[in-house]
Structures are given as structure tokens and as C-alpha cells.
Amino acid sequence: MKQKLAILGGDPAMPEGIERARWPRYSQAELDELCRVLREEQLGGCDAPQIAALEQEWAQRMDIPYCCAVGAGSDALHMALWAANVGPGDEVLVPAYTFLSGALTVLHQGAVPVFVDVHPDSCNMDPARIERHITSRTKAILPVHLSGLPADMDEINAIARQHHLAVIEDAAHAPGATYKGRFVGSLGDAAAFSINAMKNLPAGEAGIFATRHRHFLERVDGLWLRVRFHKPREEQKYPLATLGHNYRCSVVSAALARGQLARIDQLNGERQSLCERLTRQIEDLPGVIPPRVPPDRSHAYHLYRVRFDPRAAGLDLQPSEFRAKVVAALGAEGVLCRSWMNWTIPSLPLFTRPEEFEATHPWRRPWPADRVYDPRDYPEATRVVEETSLVMEAPTAASRQIIDFMAEGFRKVFSQIQEVAKLQLPEELLDGGAANLDEIRRWLGAALPVQPT
């Protein structure tokens, strides 16, 4: 006998009152070391021992010769663009679906973001679509290892070599992920990592700029206010040739990052084990497509993204409507799902209506007037927006038991998918953002159970 769906008044698959997720996970030794640093060590300045040690250890661990600890992943991206000599009027190829930082840091350089559609399986930049966007102004390619899954770097690097372009990896989601036996961040000319509190290597708020080129490192020395460790002490001066930025990393973040870096294989292994356990239990459900990981790379699982396909479920529904109804039903079962970046980057008003920004901000678009950003040019990125959601607690579940409860929630919902399809949802739920039963109750005015039509 089928259990009644929670959104229709049944008991949720996820029992209430149990520990569900834990992140960040700091060991007692890491917390003790942080307290020692706070009591005994220099807490400011880019020559602080913790920062110097983090840079050296990151370089050794990730096999990247030169690393700088900075304030955020966006700082590192800006430094990488500067190091690659990207400037006004240059074009940089960016995925049409990702976080905002890539496109915005390109704009900070006075350069022009040119968007490339994504691959339907990986949601990463599709190499097959790159060359059609290369022009005489193209200066760099900025692939993103979205959610922690490495992009197709061999193909991207081959195109870059053919056209003499720099490759800058956005590895914000992927510290410790590997591609054909090499760590991401070591695969291009430069890389940017984010290690804020939400990432798979959480260190408060910080980032890492990394490069394999000495001249890239020397170029960014003129960009930000820091001591030049690789130069003799008598030559260490504040940069006066450019308007620099204070991109320095905090000592607290450096101390936390060092402890997490030492355990990165263990921490990523736990995330992989949890997410792969969920994948095994839901991958055969018609209408559910969990992350696909090619055998030549490892997934860091910063995010666990699921695609919902109404056709595979035997339903004639718009993908966005199907996603919204499934997410609402899963949320009632206690399986927390959310959309992430529920838009493509070229659909944002900054690109579709730049005149509004120019009228209200001290900013002028760096692209020519005849360039038009049309969101319809990126159908696969649009499909990601309409069809996918994140299973929020999968990478950080407190135990395997929580994963099993999640899987039971999926099985329960998809075993009654015809009833789910009949749900009538208000506009507030149609963006697929319902996260839990409390939110659903609030949006529906505490009108549960919802009766199907």
C-alpha cells in the first residue's frame, strides 16, 4: 500500500527531530590550532606566518607552482584576468550558466564577456560551442568547474592553444577535484578558488589565486597591496604603478584553510560517498537524472544537482512546472531542494538592458552598440534553469541514514508522480524554490493538505 504524500497530508519520509546536515566540519585539532593562532601569532598583514604557510601548502598539495591567499574567490578571478593581460575591449568566453563572478570580473577589467552555452550532461561550458564565439578580440577562456565537476579541460586547452588564448579556471566549487589524475586549478594558465564557509573547503571567507607562470605572478604584484615574498626583502615595496586593491586574506581564514586542506581528500571522500549513495538509489526513477561523472575525473560535490524530466516520467508538462511540483512534494517529505542561480547570465538586465545601468550608475558598457545579448541563444543553459534543482543537504548529510531518508522521499514522490502532476501551486512556488514543509505551508497559507485537481 502506498504511503500518502506528505503534501496531501501524509507523514513525511524524513523524520522530524534528527540531525540532518553538518557543515563546516572542523576537527577539534583544527579549532585548538585556531585558538592558539589567535593567542600567539600575528593576526594581520600578508606576511603573517599562517598566510605564507597556506600559500606554500596549497602550491604543494594542488601541484601549482605559485599561489596567493586572497580575500575571496572573486578577488582571485580578477587577479587571474589581470595576470592574463585582459583589458578594455578584449573578449573573454564565459559559460552562460554559472555564478555571477566570472562575468562581473571581466567587466571590472573593461573587457567584454562572451557567453558560451553549456553541455546538457555536465552543465559546464560545452567545448563544441566555443570556436564559433572566437574573434580577433578574444583574449581568454574562463571555464567553470560547476558544482565541483571538472570541465572538459583537454578540449578547452586544445582550442586555446590553437587560437593563442589564456585559460583561466574558475575552480571556486572544486578544490581537490581531479581531471585525468591532475587537480583542477593546475590545468590552465591561472585559476581561482573560493574557500568560503559554504564551499567544500570552508575557511570563513577567502580565496586562492594560483598560476603556473612566473610572469603571471609578477604581473599581479602590481595589482594589490601585499609583500612580495618571492623578491628580496629590500625590494619589497607597495605597488605604485597601478591603483591597487586590498585583496589580502585574513589570518583566521588561513588557519582554518590549512587544517581543511590537510584533510581535503577525507572531506571530499565523505561528500562523494554520500552523494554517490543517493545517486545509486534514485538513478533508476523515471524522470530523475542525478549528476553524471565521467570516469576520467572526480566530483568534489560542492553542489548536488538533479535534473527533472517530465517526458521520462510520462507527463505532458512544461519542465519548469514539473520541477516546481516535484520540488514542492519533495520539500513536504523533508527533502530540501532549491534552485540555484535561477537565471542564465546573459538574461540578466545588466546585459539585456544595459542602458538602465548606464543611466543610474557611473558605468558604461564595454561592448559595441551592435552587440545584443539574447537569452534564447543559450538553450541548454535555459534548460538548466528550468529543469534542475539542488538537493541541498546531500553533500553535507550528517549520516548515511539521512541519505536513505532522502532516497525514500524521492521514491515516494515519483511512485505517485501522477498525483504530484495534478497539484495546483501558487505563483510563489513556480520558480522551484520550495525548500521545506514550513515554507510550503507559509506560501499556501497553511492550507495543507493540498488537494489535487
Side-chain angles (χ1 to χ4, degrees):
M1 181 178 176
K2 293 181 179 178
Q3 290 183 300
K4 192 174 186 179
L5 291 170
I7 202 167
L8 300 180
D11 293 328
M14 182 75 68
E16 295 185 7
I18 59 175
E19 184 185 14
R20 300 171 55 131
R22 290 185 290 115
W23 199 256
R25 293 174 181 166
Y26 297 120
S27 69
Q28 189 59 51
E30 290 167 350
L31 296 176
D32 290 344
E33 172 63 8
L34 176 60
C35 290
R36 186 199 66 77
V37 170
L38 292 173
R39 288 193 307 266
E40 301 175 9
E41 288 199 9
Q42 176 182 333
L43 298 181
C46 51
D47 60 342
Q50 289 295 320
I51 294 174
L54 172 61
E55 293 174 339
Q56 294 165 5
E57 291 164 8
W58 196 283
Q60 294 169 359
R61 185 68 184 86
M62 301 299 179
D63 194 25
I64 311 171
Y66 307 109
C67 296
C68 299
V70 295
S74 296
D75 298 346
L77 270 179
H78 185 219
M79 294 170 68
L81 290 165
W82 178 273
N85 205 26
V86 171
D90 291 334
E91 295 177 352
V92 179
L93 305 189
V94 181
Y97 184 79
T98 181
F99 191 62
L100 297 169
S101 295
L104 294 186
T105 51
V106 170
L107 291 178
H108 276 294
Q109 284 298 93
V112 180
V114 175
F115 298 106
V116 179
D117 210 357
V118 299
H119 193 281
D121 289 341
S122 66
C123 302
N124 285 327
M125 180 184 286
D126 187 346
R129 300 172 186 262
I130 288 177
E131 287 194 279
R132 70 188 70 170
H133 297 287
I134 294 176
T135 72
S136 60
R137 292 182 176 273
T138 307
K139 197 66 170 285
I141 306 175
L142 204 162
V144 179
H145 306 304
L146 194 69
S147 302
L149 179 66
D152 295 316
M153 292 303 297
D154 278 358
E155 293 88 340
I156 292 171
N157 281 329
I159 295 169
R161 285 193 298 269
Q162 181 181 350
H163 296 275
H164 308 289
L165 306 176
V167 175
I168 298 168
E169 298 175 71
D170 183 340
H173 289 181
T178 59
Y179 176 84
K180 298 188 176 180
R182 297 174 60 191
F183 287 111
V184 300
S186 68
L187 305 167
D189 296 291
F193 295 89
S194 174
I195 51 176
N196 69 31
M198 295 181 292
K199 297 301 194 298
N200 64 307
L201 195 156
E205 194 67 60
I208 301 288
F209 163 77
T211 180
R212 56 190 174 89
H213 301 307
R214 174 80 175 216
H215 66 280
F216 272 38
L217 181 69
E218 292 174 344
R219 179 164 169 76
V220 300
D221 264 342
L223 177 65
W224 66 312
L225 304 177
R226 66 167 271 141
V227 176
R228 305 177 185 186
F229 291 112
H230 61 281
K231 292 191 175 183
R233 188 75 183 182
E234 61 272 13
E235 296 181 21
Q236 294 178 3
K237 300 176 182 179
Y238 285 116
L240 300 178
T242 63
L243 300 177
H245 301 265
N246 186 356
Y247 280 166
R248 290 178 291 185
C249 179
S250 81
V251 170
V252 169
S253 290
L256 289 173
R258 292 183 64 201
Q260 292 283 288
L261 179 63
R263 296 197 295 136
I264 187 66
D265 287 344
Q266 172 198 338
L267 295 170
N268 280 354
E270 291 172 0
R271 298 173 82 98
Q272 290 160 356
S273 176
L274 292 168
C275 292
E276 289 168 1
R277 184 180 184 91
L278 181 58
T279 292
R280 288 193 297 271
Q281 296 188 65
I282 68 174
E283 62 185 347
D284 293 330
L285 297 175
V288 180
I289 304 173
R292 292 170 174 166
V293 185
D296 62 357
R297 65 202 74 179
S298 68
H299 200 313
Y301 286 109
H302 168 53
L303 304 172
Y304 185 93
R305 182 183 301 278
V306 170
R307 187 183 294 268
F308 298 117
D309 184 351
R311 292 156 302 203
L315 296 172
D316 184 19
L317 289 177
Q318 289 297 316
S320 57
E321 180 185 357
F322 179 64
R323 193 238 344 232
K325 291 180 176 182
V326 167
V327 166
L330 286 170
E333 299 297 340
V335 183
L336 311 185
C337 295
R338 275 200 187 279
S339 302
W340 180 86
M341 295 295 296
N342 205 29
W343 52 78
T344 64
I345 304 302
S347 72
L348 295 175
L350 177 63
F351 298 104
T352 59
R353 301 194 302 276
E355 65 278 357
E356 296 180 8
F357 284 82
E358 290 177 326
T360 56
H361 295 78
W363 177 81
R364 291 291 179 268
R365 75 193 88 176
W367 57 86
D370 60 355
R371 173 179 287 279
V372 175
Y373 289 99
D374 188 342
R376 293 172 297 183
D377 292 336
Y378 313 96
E380 292 301 334
T382 300
R383 286 187 61 211
V384 174
V385 170
E386 294 178 344
E387 299 179 8
T388 73
S389 285
L390 306 181
V391 183
M392 297 301 296
E393 296 176 335
T396 59
S399 67
R400 293 184 175 185
Q401 183 185 39
I402 299 301
I403 294 293
D404 294 341
F405 285 134
M406 289 181 185
E408 177 57 29
F410 269 91
R411 287 191 292 267
K412 186 176 172 184
V413 166
F414 278 85
S415 70
Q416 302 175 65
I417 199 64
Q418 296 292 336
E419 294 301 301
V420 172
K422 297 175 184 177
L423 295 172
Q424 294 296 300
L425 301 180
E427 288 293 325
E428 291 88 341
L429 285 176
L430 291 180
D431 68 349
N436 56 46
L437 187 56
D438 289 339
E439 291 192 5
I440 296 169
R441 285 192 174 119
R442 185 178 72 249
W443 272 320
L444 298 182
L448 290 179
V450 179
Q451 296 300 325
T453 59

